[in-house]
Amino acid sequence: MNTNKPKSAPLGKLAIGALILTSVFAWQRMAYSAEEAVSIAAPKMDIPAGSSHSAQAVFSGGCFWGVQGVFEHVRGVTQVVSGYSGGAASTADYETVSTGETGHAESVQITYDPTKVSYGQLLQVFFSVAHNPTELNYQGPDHGSQYRSAIFPLNDQQRQVAAAYIEQLNKAHAFSVPIVTKLEPFKGFYRAEDYHQDFLVHNPDHPYIRINDLPKIQYLQHLLPADYQQNPVLVAGVSPQV
């Protein structure tokens, strides 16, 4: 996200003082704390582990900073890359995607070991921790189709498991309103610019990260402790922000 968006606190508001900022953070933590009491069941249908030690999944759930940050802490995940999916290669850059007219969604490509974590477990993290699947074309302060909730299945098994899980959660009334997550055809995944990679890890004091994303890591640790790993897996070849 660029610094002209709501993810960067306006200079005037920062000048108001730490008291107001602290109050904002406290309110956000209270909102996340209230949701911690809500736990969703694991998928009844899942993909068997098999013998392969590497598979991939592509999810979209709002700003990729937080979604990437969450899945980098999931046990069995070996890499998470922020990028764009849903549109053409020619429009897969941040400024163009930000217009909301490319068909792309900010997405993450997750590489994982199916013998350690299943596709169904990744879906459980996606729906319960990484984002709110009931918000249509927005997540929190971010609005536009590029922030939509979507799953891009890479094969028929992933499509069947994801569709069954959405049906399971809706039937169980796991959320107060229906899930709006769509299963979309996978057209390709295009890696985002380097400055977006591992943004949460490199910028823990960024106002947007502190308010919207760091609580998600605590969510994962407390809600799904068996799936949590303390040390995040980082994208190779990306230097920390300075």
Side-chain angles (χ1 to χ4, degrees):
M1 307 306 129
N2 66 38
T3 55
N4 294 322
K5 300 187 66 176
K7 295 183 174 64
S8 291
L11 213 53
K13 289 186 179 179
L14 285 177
I16 292 175
L19 187 59
I20 292 178
L21 196 57
T22 301
S23 297
V24 172
F25 292 151
W27 182 89
Q28 288 289 342
R29 290 193 183 98
M30 285 169 54
Y32 276 109
S33 178
E35 291 193 29
E36 284 185 20
V38 179
S39 177
I40 62 174
K44 295 178 180 178
M45 179 188 296
D46 207 342
I47 299 176
S51 58
S52 174
H53 288 272
S54 183
Q56 290 187 326
V58 177
F59 300 148
S60 167
C63 172
F64 43 29
W65 291 350
V67 182
Q68 181 187 45
V70 167
F71 281 103
E72 286 182 332
H73 280 278
V74 173
R75 192 184 308 275
V77 168
T78 56
Q79 188 176 70
V80 190
V81 178
S82 288
Y84 314 105
S85 196
S90 60
T91 59
D93 64 87
Y94 179 68
E95 295 301 326
T96 309
V97 171
S98 294
T99 67
E101 299 176 355
T102 64
H104 279 298
E106 291 194 11
S107 306
V108 295
Q109 180 188 67
I110 303 163
T111 303
Y112 64 100
D113 183 344
T115 67
K116 296 180 180 179
V117 63
S118 71
Y119 184 71
Q121 286 175 285
L122 296 180
L123 288 175
Q124 187 177 18
V125 173
F126 176 67
F127 283 112
S128 64
V129 176
H131 84 307
N132 183 341
T134 69
E135 295 179 344
L136 183 62
N137 290 333
Y138 77 98
Q139 283 292 307
D142 301 314
H143 289 252
S145 62
Q146 68 271 31
Y147 298 112
R148 66 188 182 272
S149 175
I151 296 170
F152 297 90
L154 305 185
N155 52 52
D156 287 340
Q157 280 185 308
Q158 288 189 358
R159 177 171 293 278
Q160 291 171 6
V161 170
Y165 195 33
I166 291 173
E167 182 179 8
Q168 173 188 330
L169 293 175
N170 277 330
K171 284 185 175 179
H173 301 288
F175 300 93
S176 59
V177 293
I179 291 170
V180 299
T181 308
K182 299 297 184 184
L183 305 187
E184 300 188 21
F186 179 70
K187 301 177 182 179
F189 177 85
Y190 307 97
R191 176 173 166 150
E193 297 80 357
D194 279 353
Y195 66 89
H196 286 303
Q197 306 302 334
D198 303 325
F199 193 92
L200 181 150
V201 174
H202 298 323
N203 300 274
D205 293 325
H206 191 291
Y208 181 91
I209 295 297
R210 291 183 65 185
I211 294 171
N212 296 284
D213 294 331
L214 286 182
K216 294 179 182 180
I217 309 303
Q218 297 175 350
Y219 250 9
L220 177 65
Q221 184 176 9
H222 294 117
L223 193 63
L224 298 168
D227 296 328
Y228 174 79
Q229 62 181 11
Q230 182 174 357
N231 296 323
V233 294
L234 302 182
V235 178
V238 176
S239 300
Q241 302 292 309
V242 295

